[in-house]
């Protein structure tokens, strides 16, 4: 199991105490691989304060460098200490990342040696017209690399479930995972079985065990509940 926390635009240096506390728990023995995608300002300090937790970024620019004021390249994030990066989060897609840019960001991340977690997910309107599987498979098709790279993972995050407390039925999540798995096997052959497919969207200590019990789920991507050790550690415990 892979359990990833996405801190979004939360956290100052004081909050590094939570990274340390989460890392302490993981060091003491944890069934899951655990990663925290912290704000870029905290990556170097977080990396320097952990032994067991993987530190990641939440996004990267698609270009390798140049006149892109305010942006961060994948290589810069790797240089700061990031080992993984979330790409195509719905909040980034909503802010302008179309399929072409998400695909370019995947290539940039891979080029810099970051393990990419590609987020896919349907809106409520797409769900309501029965397009969920088509939407997520289209997003995967357009952004996945030609060959599997180390650490590649998919995260199924329904847009309507992020930060809302709403979670799909387990059977609906299982159906989406199955559709993505079929696509991965069609694209990569048997190796496609090994790409973890995570679920994300309103994961909490209360629902983590049930979610992690879904057939073929590879882990969870956790937003709000990853911000403190108190709320995140019980989710890690649910992976046992
Ligand atoms: P949430 O966010 O757990 O706060 O719903 C998940 C995400 O955006 O990755």
């Amino acid at each position: 199991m892979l359990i990833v926390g996405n801190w979004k635009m939360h956290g100052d240096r004081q909050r590094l105490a939570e990274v340390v506390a989460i890392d302490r728990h993981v060091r003491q023995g944890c069934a899951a691989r655990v990663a925290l995608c912290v704000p870029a300002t905290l990556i170097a300090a977080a990396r320097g304060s952990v032994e067991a937790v993987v530190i990641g970024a939440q996004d990267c620019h698609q270009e390798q460098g140049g006149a892109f004021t305010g942006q961060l390249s994948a290589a810069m994030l790797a240089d700061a200490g990031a080992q993984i990066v979330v790409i195509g989060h719905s909040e980034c897609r909503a802010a302008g990342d179309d399929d072409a840019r998400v695909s370019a960001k995947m290539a940039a991340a891979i080029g810099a040696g970051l393990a990419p977690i590609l987020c896919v997910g349907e809106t409520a309107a797409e769900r309501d017209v029965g397009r969920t599987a088509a939407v997520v498979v289209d997003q995967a098709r357009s952004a996945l690399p030609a060959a599997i790279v180390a650490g590649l993972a998919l995260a199924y995050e329904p847009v309507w479930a992020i930060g809302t407390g709403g979670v799909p039925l387990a059977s609906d999540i299982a159906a989406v995972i199955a559709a993505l798995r079929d696509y991965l096997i069609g694209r990569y052959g048997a190796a496609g079985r090994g790409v973890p497919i995570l679920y994300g969207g309103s994961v909490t200590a209360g629902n983590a065990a049930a979610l992690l019990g879904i057939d073929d789920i590879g882990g969870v991507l956790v937003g709000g509940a990853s911000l403190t050790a108190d709320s995140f550690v019980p989710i890690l415990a649910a992976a046992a």
Side-chain angles (χ1 to χ4, degrees), residues 6 8 89 91 157 161-164 200-203 221-225:
N6 169 18
K8 311 193 180 187
H89 191 282
E91 288 154 15
E157 296 208 306
I162 294 174
T164 60
S202 297
V203 177
L221 178 50
V222 186

